[in-house]
Coordinates of all heavy atoms in Angstrom, one line a residue:
V1 N -6.8 24.7 -17.4 CA -7.0 25.8 -16.5 C -8.2 25.5 -15.6 O -9.2 25.2 -16.1 CB -7.2 27.2 -17.2 CG1 -7.4 28.3 -16.2 CG2 -6.0 27.5 -18.1
I2 N -8.0 25.5 -14.3 CA -9.0 25.3 -13.3 C -9.4 26.6 -12.7 O -8.5 27.2 -12.1 CB -8.6 24.3 -12.2 CG1 -8.1 23.0 -12.9 CG2 -9.8 24.0 -11.3 CD1 -9.0 22.2 -13.7
H3 N -10.6 27.1 -12.8 CA -11.0 28.3 -12.2 C -11.7 27.9 -10.9 O -12.6 27.2 -10.8 CB -12.0 29.1 -13.1 CG -11.4 29.5 -14.4 ND1 -10.6 30.7 -14.4 CD2 -11.4 29.0 -15.6 CE1 -10.2 30.8 -15.7 NE2 -10.7 29.8 -16.4
L4 N -11.1 28.5 -9.8 CA -11.6 28.1 -8.4 C -12.8 28.9 -8.1 O -12.9 30.1 -8.4 CB -10.5 28.4 -7.4 CG -9.1 27.7 -7.6 CD1 -8.1 28.2 -6.5 CD2 -9.3 26.2 -7.5
P5 N -13.8 28.3 -7.4 CA -15.0 29.0 -7.0 C -14.6 30.1 -5.9 O -13.6 29.9 -5.3 CB -15.9 28.0 -6.4 CG -15.2 26.6 -6.6 CD -13.8 26.9 -7.1
A6 N -15.4 31.1 -5.8 CA -15.2 32.1 -4.8 C -15.0 31.4 -3.4 O -15.8 30.6 -3.0 CB -16.3 33.1 -4.7
G7 N -14.0 31.8 -2.7 CA -13.7 31.3 -1.4 C -12.9 30.0 -1.3 O -12.6 29.5 -0.2
A8 N -12.7 29.4 -2.5 CA -12.0 28.1 -2.5 C -10.5 28.3 -2.4 O -10.0 29.4 -2.8 CB -12.3 27.4 -3.8
T9 N -9.8 27.4 -1.8 CA -8.3 27.4 -1.7 C -7.8 26.1 -2.2 O -8.4 25.0 -2.2 CB -7.9 27.7 -0.3 OG1 -8.4 26.6 0.6 CG2 -8.3 29.0 0.2
V10 N -6.5 26.1 -2.6 CA -5.8 24.9 -3.0 C -5.2 24.3 -1.8 O -4.4 24.9 -1.2 CB -4.8 25.2 -4.1 CG1 -3.9 24.0 -4.4 CG2 -5.4 25.8 -5.4
A11 N -5.7 23.1 -1.4 CA -5.2 22.4 -0.3 C -3.9 21.6 -0.7 O -3.0 21.5 0.1 CB -6.3 21.4 0.3
E12 N -3.9 21.0 -1.9 CA -2.8 20.3 -2.4 C -2.7 20.5 -3.9 O -3.7 20.5 -4.6 CB -3.0 18.8 -2.2 CG -3.0 18.3 -0.7 CD -3.2 16.8 -0.6 OE1 -2.6 16.1 -1.4 OE2 -3.9 16.4 0.3
A13 N -1.5 20.8 -4.4 CA -1.3 20.9 -5.8 C -0.2 20.0 -6.3 O 0.7 19.7 -5.5 CB -0.9 22.4 -6.1
P14 N -0.3 19.5 -7.5 CA 0.7 18.6 -8.0 C 2.0 19.4 -8.0 O 2.1 20.6 -8.2 CB 0.3 18.3 -9.4 CG -1.2 18.7 -9.5 CD -1.4 19.7 -8.4
H15 N 3.1 18.7 -7.8 CA 4.4 19.3 -7.9 C 4.9 19.4 -9.3 O 5.8 20.2 -9.7 CB 5.5 18.5 -7.1 CG 5.2 18.4 -5.6 ND1 4.5 17.4 -5.0 CD2 5.4 19.4 -4.7 CE1 4.4 17.7 -3.7 NE2 5.0 18.9 -3.5
G16 N 4.4 18.5 -10.2 CA 4.8 18.5 -11.6 C 6.2 17.8 -11.6 O 6.6 17.2 -10.6
G17 N 6.8 17.8 -12.7 CA 8.1 17.2 -12.9 C 8.3 16.8 -14.3 O 7.6 17.1 -15.2
D18 N 9.5 16.1 -14.5 CA 9.9 15.7 -15.8 C 10.5 14.3 -15.8 O 11.3 14.1 -14.9 CB 10.9 16.7 -16.3 CG 11.4 16.5 -17.7 OD1 12.0 15.5 -18.0 OD2 11.0 17.3 -18.6
A19 N 10.1 13.5 -16.7 CA 10.7 12.1 -16.8 C 11.1 12.0 -18.2 O 10.2 11.8 -19.1 CB 9.7 11.1 -16.3
T20 N 12.3 12.0 -18.5 CA 12.8 11.9 -19.9 C 13.7 10.7 -20.1 O 14.5 10.4 -19.2 CB 13.6 13.2 -20.3 OG1 12.8 14.3 -20.1 CG2 14.1 13.1 -21.7
S21 N 13.5 10.0 -21.1 CA 14.3 8.8 -21.4 C 14.4 8.6 -22.9 O 13.7 9.3 -23.7 CB 13.7 7.5 -20.8 OG 12.6 7.1 -21.6
P22 N 15.1 7.6 -23.4 CA 15.2 7.3 -24.8 C 13.8 6.9 -25.4 O 13.6 6.9 -26.6 CB 16.2 6.2 -25.0 CG 17.0 6.3 -23.7 CD 16.1 6.8 -22.7
F23 N 12.9 6.5 -24.5 CA 11.5 6.1 -24.9 C 10.6 7.2 -25.1 O 9.5 7.0 -25.7 CB 11.0 5.1 -23.8 CG 11.9 4.0 -23.5 CD1 12.6 4.0 -22.3 CD2 12.2 3.0 -24.4 CE1 13.5 3.0 -22.0 CE2 13.1 2.0 -24.1 CZ 13.8 2.0 -22.9
G24 N 10.9 8.4 -24.5 CA 10.0 9.5 -24.6 C 10.1 10.4 -23.4 O 11.1 10.3 -22.7
H25 N 9.2 11.3 -23.3 CA 9.2 12.2 -22.1 C 7.8 12.5 -21.6 O 6.8 12.5 -22.4 CB 10.0 13.5 -22.4 CG 9.2 14.5 -23.2 ND1 9.3 14.5 -24.6 CD2 8.4 15.5 -22.8 CE1 8.5 15.5 -25.0 NE2 7.9 16.1 -24.0
V26 N 7.7 12.8 -20.3 CA 6.5 13.3 -19.7 C 6.9 14.6 -18.9 O 7.9 14.5 -18.2 CB 5.9 12.3 -18.8 CG1 4.7 12.9 -18.0 CG2 5.4 11.1 -19.5
R27 N 6.2 15.6 -19.1 CA 6.5 16.9 -18.4 C 5.2 17.5 -17.9 O 4.2 17.6 -18.7 CB 7.2 17.8 -19.3 CG 7.7 19.1 -18.6 CD 8.5 20.0 -19.5 NE 9.7 19.2 -20.0 CZ 9.9 18.9 -21.3 NH1 9.1 19.3 -22.2 NH2 11.0 18.3 -21.6
M28 N 5.1 17.8 -16.6 CA 3.9 18.5 -16.1 C 4.4 19.7 -15.3 O 5.3 19.6 -14.5 CB 3.1 17.6 -15.2 CG 1.9 18.3 -14.6 SD 0.7 17.5 -13.6 CE 1.5 16.1 -12.9
T29 N 3.8 20.8 -15.7 CA 4.1 22.1 -14.9 C 2.8 22.6 -14.3 O 1.7 22.4 -14.9 CB 4.6 23.2 -15.8 OG1 3.7 23.4 -16.9 CG2 6.0 22.8 -16.4
V30 N 2.9 23.2 -13.1 CA 1.7 23.7 -12.4 C 2.0 25.1 -12.0 O 3.0 25.4 -11.4 CB 1.5 22.8 -11.2 CG1 0.2 23.3 -10.4 CG2 1.3 21.3 -11.5
E31 N 1.0 26.0 -12.3 CA 1.1 27.4 -11.9 C -0.1 27.8 -11.2 O -1.2 27.5 -11.7 CB 1.3 28.3 -13.2 CG 2.5 28.0 -14.0 CD 2.6 28.8 -15.3 OE1 1.9 29.9 -15.3 OE2 3.3 28.4 -16.2
Q32 N 0.0 28.4 -10.1 CA -1.1 28.9 -9.3 C -1.2 30.4 -9.4 O -0.2 31.1 -9.2 CB -1.0 28.6 -7.8 CG -1.1 27.1 -7.6 CD -1.2 26.7 -6.1 OE1 -1.9 27.3 -5.4 NE2 -0.3 25.8 -5.7
G33 N -2.3 30.9 -9.8 CA -2.6 32.4 -9.9 C -3.8 32.7 -9.1 O -4.4 31.8 -8.4
T34 N -4.2 34.0 -9.1 CA -5.3 34.4 -8.3 C -6.6 33.7 -8.9 O -7.0 34.0 -10.0 CB -5.5 35.9 -8.4 OG1 -4.2 36.5 -7.9 CG2 -6.6 36.4 -7.5
G35 N -7.2 32.9 -8.1 CA -8.4 32.2 -8.5 C -8.3 31.1 -9.5 O -9.3 30.7 -10.0
Q36 N -7.1 30.7 -9.8 CA -7.0 29.7 -10.8 C -5.7 28.9 -10.7 O -4.8 29.3 -10.1 CB -7.1 30.2 -12.3 CG -5.9 31.0 -12.7 CD -6.1 31.5 -14.1 OE1 -7.2 31.8 -14.5 NE2 -5.0 31.6 -14.9
V37 N -5.8 27.7 -11.2 CA -4.6 26.8 -11.3 C -4.5 26.3 -12.7 O -5.4 25.9 -13.3 CB -4.7 25.6 -10.4 CG1 -3.5 24.7 -10.5 CG2 -4.9 26.0 -8.9
T38 N -3.3 26.5 -13.3 CA -3.0 26.0 -14.6 C -2.1 24.8 -14.6 O -1.0 24.9 -14.0 CB -2.4 27.1 -15.5 OG1 -3.3 28.2 -15.5 CG2 -2.1 26.7 -16.9
V39 N -2.5 23.7 -15.2 CA -1.7 22.5 -15.3 C -1.5 22.2 -16.7 O -2.4 22.1 -17.5 CB -2.4 21.3 -14.6 CG1 -1.5 20.0 -14.7 CG2 -2.7 21.6 -13.1
H40 N -0.2 22.1 -17.1 CA 0.1 21.7 -18.5 C 0.9 20.4 -18.5 O 1.8 20.2 -17.7 CB 1.0 22.8 -19.1 CG 1.4 22.5 -20.5 ND1 0.6 22.7 -21.6 CD2 2.5 22.0 -21.0 CE1 1.2 22.3 -22.7 NE2 2.4 21.8 -22.4
T41 N 0.4 19.5 -19.3 CA 1.0 18.1 -19.4 C 1.4 17.9 -20.8 O 0.7 18.1 -21.8 CB 0.0 17.0 -18.9 OG1 -0.4 17.3 -17.6 CG2 0.7 15.7 -18.9
D42 N 2.7 17.4 -21.0 CA 3.2 17.1 -22.3 C 3.7 15.7 -22.3 O 4.5 15.3 -21.4 CB 4.4 18.1 -22.6 CG 4.9 17.9 -24.0 OD1 4.1 17.7 -25.0 OD2 6.1 18.0 -24.2
L43 N 3.3 14.9 -23.2 CA 3.7 13.5 -23.3 C 4.1 13.2 -24.7 O 3.4 13.5 -25.6 CB 2.5 12.6 -22.9 CG 2.6 11.1 -23.1 CD1 3.7 10.5 -22.3 CD2 1.3 10.4 -22.9
S44 N 5.2 12.5 -24.8 CA 5.7 12.0 -26.1 C 6.3 10.6 -25.9 O 7.1 10.4 -25.0 CB 6.9 13.0 -26.5 OG 7.5 12.4 -27.7
I45 N 5.8 9.7 -26.7 CA 6.4 8.4 -26.7 C 7.1 8.2 -28.1 O 6.5 8.4 -29.1 CB 5.2 7.3 -26.6 CG1 4.6 7.5 -25.2 CG2 5.8 5.9 -26.7 CD1 3.4 6.6 -25.0
D46 N 8.4 8.0 -28.0 CA 9.3 8.0 -29.1 C 9.5 6.7 -29.8 O 10.2 6.6 -30.8 CB 10.6 8.7 -28.8 CG 10.4 10.1 -28.3 OD1 9.4 10.7 -28.7 OD2 11.3 10.6 -27.5
R47 N 9.1 5.6 -29.2 CA 9.3 4.3 -29.8 C 7.9 3.6 -29.8 O 7.1 3.7 -28.9 CB 10.2 3.4 -28.9 CG 11.6 3.9 -28.9 CD 12.5 2.9 -28.3 NE 13.8 3.4 -28.0 CZ 14.7 2.7 -27.4 NH1 14.5 1.5 -26.9 NH2 15.9 3.2 -27.2
D48 N 7.7 2.8 -30.9 CA 6.5 2.1 -31.0 C 6.7 0.6 -30.6 O 5.7 -0.1 -30.4 CB 5.9 2.2 -32.4 CG 6.8 1.7 -33.5 OD1 8.0 1.4 -33.2 OD2 6.4 1.6 -34.7
R49 N 7.9 0.2 -30.4 CA 8.2 -1.2 -29.9 C 9.3 -1.1 -28.9 O 10.3 -0.3 -29.1 CB 8.6 -2.1 -31.1 CG 7.5 -2.4 -32.0 CD 7.9 -3.3 -33.1 NE 6.9 -3.5 -34.1 CZ 6.1 -4.5 -34.2 NH1 6.3 -5.5 -33.4 NH2 5.2 -4.6 -35.1
I50 N 9.2 -1.9 -27.9 CA 10.2 -2.0 -26.9 C 10.9 -3.4 -26.9 O 10.1 -4.4 -26.8 CB 9.7 -1.7 -25.5 CG1 8.9 -0.4 -25.4 CG2 10.7 -1.8 -24.4 CD1 9.7 0.8 -25.8
A51 N 12.2 -3.5 -27.1 CA 12.8 -4.8 -27.1 C 12.8 -5.4 -25.7 O 12.9 -4.6 -24.7 CB 14.3 -4.6 -27.6
P52 N 12.7 -6.7 -25.6 CA 12.7 -7.3 -24.3 C 13.9 -6.9 -23.4 O 13.7 -6.7 -22.2 CB 12.8 -8.8 -24.7 CG 12.1 -8.9 -26.0 CD 12.5 -7.7 -26.7
A53 N 15.1 -6.7 -24.0 CA 16.2 -6.3 -23.2 C 16.1 -4.9 -22.7 O 16.7 -4.5 -21.7 CB 17.5 -6.4 -24.1
D54 N 15.2 -4.0 -23.3 CA 15.0 -2.7 -22.9 C 13.9 -2.5 -21.9 O 13.6 -1.4 -21.4 CB 14.8 -1.7 -24.1 CG 16.0 -1.6 -24.9 OD1 17.1 -1.8 -24.5 OD2 15.8 -1.3 -26.1
Y55 N 13.1 -3.6 -21.6 CA 11.9 -3.5 -20.8 C 12.2 -3.0 -19.4 O 11.4 -2.2 -18.9 CB 11.2 -4.9 -20.8 CG 9.8 -4.6 -20.2 CD1 8.8 -4.0 -20.9 CD2 9.6 -5.0 -18.9 CE1 7.6 -3.8 -20.3 CE2 8.3 -4.8 -18.3 CZ 7.3 -4.2 -19.0 OH 6.1 -3.9 -18.4
P56 N 13.3 -3.5 -18.7 CA 13.5 -2.9 -17.4 C 13.6 -1.4 -17.4 O 13.1 -0.7 -16.5 CB 14.7 -3.6 -16.9 CG 14.7 -4.9 -17.6 CD 14.2 -4.6 -19.0
A57 N 14.4 -0.8 -18.3 CA 14.5 0.6 -18.4 C 13.2 1.3 -18.8 O 12.9 2.4 -18.2 CB 15.6 1.0 -19.4
F58 N 12.5 0.7 -19.7 CA 11.2 1.2 -20.1 C 10.2 1.3 -18.9 O 9.6 2.3 -18.6 CB 10.6 0.4 -21.2 CG 9.2 0.8 -21.6 CD1 9.0 2.0 -22.3 CD2 8.1 0.1 -21.3 CE1 7.8 2.4 -22.7 CE2 6.8 0.5 -21.7 CZ 6.7 1.7 -22.4
R59 N 10.2 0.2 -18.1 CA 9.3 0.1 -17.0 C 9.7 1.2 -15.9 O 8.8 1.8 -15.4 CB 9.4 -1.3 -16.3 CG 8.5 -1.4 -15.2 CD 8.5 -2.8 -14.6 NE 7.7 -2.9 -13.4 CZ 7.2 -4.0 -12.9 NH1 7.5 -5.1 -13.4 NH2 6.5 -3.9 -11.8
Q60 N 11.0 1.4 -15.7 CA 11.4 2.4 -14.8 C 10.9 3.8 -15.2 O 10.4 4.6 -14.4 CB 12.9 2.4 -14.7 CG 13.4 3.4 -13.7 CD 15.0 3.4 -13.6 OE1 15.6 2.8 -14.4 NE2 15.5 4.1 -12.6
W61 N 11.0 4.1 -16.5 CA 10.5 5.4 -17.1 C 9.0 5.5 -16.9 O 8.5 6.5 -16.5 CB 10.9 5.5 -18.5 CG 10.3 6.7 -19.2 CD1 10.6 8.0 -18.9 CD2 9.3 6.8 -20.1 NE1 9.8 8.9 -19.6 CE2 9.0 8.1 -20.4 CE3 8.5 5.8 -20.8 CZ2 8.0 8.5 -21.3 CZ3 7.6 6.2 -21.7 CH2 7.3 7.6 -22.0
V62 N 8.3 4.4 -17.2 CA 6.8 4.5 -17.0 C 6.4 4.7 -15.6 O 5.5 5.5 -15.3 CB 6.2 3.2 -17.6 CG1 4.7 3.1 -17.2 CG2 6.3 3.1 -19.1
E63 N 7.2 4.1 -14.7 CA 6.9 4.3 -13.2 C 7.2 5.8 -12.8 O 6.4 6.4 -12.1 CB 7.7 3.4 -12.4 CG 7.2 1.9 -12.5 CD 8.0 0.9 -11.8 OE1 9.2 1.2 -11.4 OE2 7.6 -0.3 -11.7
Q64 N 8.2 6.4 -13.4 CA 8.5 7.8 -13.1 C 7.4 8.7 -13.6 O 6.9 9.6 -13.0 CB 9.9 8.2 -13.7 CG 11.0 7.6 -13.0 CD 12.3 7.8 -13.8 OE1 12.3 8.2 -14.9 NE2 13.5 7.6 -13.1
A65 N 7.0 8.4 -14.9 CA 5.9 9.2 -15.5 C 4.6 9.0 -14.7 O 3.9 10.0 -14.5 CB 5.8 8.7 -17.0
D66 N 4.3 7.8 -14.3 CA 3.1 7.6 -13.6 C 3.1 8.3 -12.2 O 2.1 8.9 -11.8 CB 2.9 6.1 -13.3 CG 1.6 5.7 -12.6 OD1 0.6 6.2 -13.2 OD2 1.6 5.1 -11.6
A67 N 4.2 8.4 -11.6 CA 4.3 9.1 -10.3 C 4.0 10.6 -10.5 O 3.4 11.2 -9.7 CB 5.7 8.9 -9.7
I68 N 4.5 11.2 -11.6 CA 4.2 12.6 -11.9 C 2.7 12.8 -12.3 O 2.1 13.7 -11.7 CB 5.1 13.0 -13.1 CG1 6.6 13.1 -12.7 CG2 4.6 14.4 -13.6 CD1 7.5 13.2 -13.9
L69 N 2.2 11.9 -13.1 CA 0.8 12.1 -13.6 C -0.3 11.7 -12.6 O -1.4 12.1 -12.7 CB 0.6 11.3 -14.9 CG 1.5 11.7 -16.0 CD1 1.3 10.8 -17.2 CD2 1.2 13.2 -16.4
R70 N 0.1 11.0 -11.5 CA -1.0 10.6 -10.6 C -1.2 11.6 -9.5 O -2.1 11.5 -8.7 CB -0.7 9.2 -10.0 CG 0.3 9.2 -8.8 CD 0.3 7.9 -8.0 NE 0.9 6.8 -8.8 CZ 2.1 6.3 -8.5 NH1 2.8 6.8 -7.5 NH2 2.6 5.4 -9.3
E71 N -0.3 12.6 -9.4 CA -0.5 13.7 -8.4 C -1.9 14.4 -8.6 O -2.3 14.5 -9.8 CB 0.6 14.7 -8.5 CG 1.9 14.1 -8.1 CD 3.0 15.2 -8.1 OE1 2.8 16.3 -8.5 OE2 4.1 14.8 -7.6
R72 N -2.5 14.8 -7.6 CA -3.9 15.3 -7.6 C -3.9 16.8 -7.2 O -3.1 17.2 -6.3 CB -4.8 14.5 -6.7 CG -4.9 13.1 -7.1 CD -5.7 12.9 -8.4 NE -5.9 11.5 -8.7 CZ -5.7 11.1 -9.9 NH1 -5.3 11.8 -10.9 NH2 -5.8 9.8 -10.2
L73 N -4.9 17.5 -7.7 CA -5.2 18.8 -7.2 C -6.4 18.7 -6.3 O -7.4 18.2 -6.7 CB -5.6 19.7 -8.4 CG -6.1 21.1 -8.1 CD1 -5.0 22.0 -7.4 CD2 -6.6 21.8 -9.4
V74 N -6.2 19.2 -5.1 CA -7.3 19.1 -4.1 C -7.7 20.6 -3.7 O -6.8 21.4 -3.3 CB -6.8 18.4 -2.8 CG1 -7.9 18.4 -1.8 CG2 -6.4 17.0 -3.1
V75 N -9.0 20.9 -3.9 CA -9.5 22.2 -3.6 C -10.5 22.1 -2.5 O -11.3 21.2 -2.4 CB -10.2 22.7 -4.9 CG1 -10.9 24.1 -4.6 CG2 -9.3 22.8 -6.0
R76 N -10.4 23.0 -1.5 CA -11.2 23.1 -0.4 C -12.1 24.4 -0.3 O -11.6 25.4 -0.7 CB -10.4 23.0 0.9 CG -9.5 21.8 1.0 CD -9.9 20.9 2.2 NE -8.9 19.9 2.5 CZ -9.0 18.7 2.0 NH1 -10.0 18.3 1.2 NH2 -8.1 17.8 2.3
G77 N -13.3 24.2 0.2 CA -14.1 25.4 0.4 C -14.7 25.9 -0.9 O -14.8 25.2 -1.9
G78 N -15.2 27.1 -0.9 CA -15.8 27.7 -2.0 C -17.3 27.8 -1.9 O -17.9 27.1 -1.1
A79 N -17.9 28.7 -2.7 CA -19.3 28.9 -2.7 C -20.1 27.7 -3.2 O -19.6 27.0 -4.1 CB -19.7 30.1 -3.5
R80 N -21.2 27.4 -2.7 CA -22.0 26.2 -3.2 C -23.3 26.7 -3.8 O -23.9 27.6 -3.5 CB -22.3 25.3 -2.1 CG -21.0 24.6 -1.6 CD -21.4 23.6 -0.6 NE -20.1 23.1 0.0 CZ -19.8 21.8 0.0 NH1 -20.6 20.9 -0.5 NH2 -18.7 21.4 0.5

C-alpha cells in the first residue's frame, strides 16, 4: 500500500496482469483509492528444474512475467 502525500497524483500506474504456465504464475493487481494505491503481487514457481526441451516455453513465460513486474508507479506533485 502506497499512501500518497497531500496534493500528489498518480501519473502512471501499473496495469497489472497475469502470466500463468506449467512453470508457475505471476499475478499483479493494482487498485487506486483516495490517497493511496494498493499493489498486490503473487508469484509461484512450480518447478525446480527446467528440461532443456522446455526452455523456450519457460523463457517465454519469464518474459511475460517480467513485462508485468517491470511496470512502474509514477507519482507527481505532493507536499514537500
Side-chain angles (χ1 to χ4, degrees):
V1 177
I2 308 298
H3 296 280
L4 303 176
T9 59
V10 174
E12 294 178 42
H15 295 98
D18 186 290
T20 301
S21 79
F23 309 106
H25 77 271
V26 172
R27 182 174 304 116
M28 180 174 25
T29 58
V30 181
E31 298 174 21
Q32 293 188 49
T34 303
Q36 72 180 33
V37 178
T38 302
V39 179
H40 179 80
T41 304
D42 185 41
L43 168 66
S44 171
I45 298 176
D46 299 334
R47 293 192 190 174
D48 58 354
R49 293 182 185 254
I50 307 300
D54 292 336
Y55 191 74
F58 177 72
R59 182 176 176 163
Q60 181 180 12
W61 174 68
V62 169
E63 288 172 351
Q64 291 171 344
D66 185 54
I68 292 168
L69 296 173
R70 86 166 70 106
E71 293 183 354
R72 301 288 182 226
L73 173 65
V74 178
V75 176
R76 301 242 191 267
R80 293 185 186 236

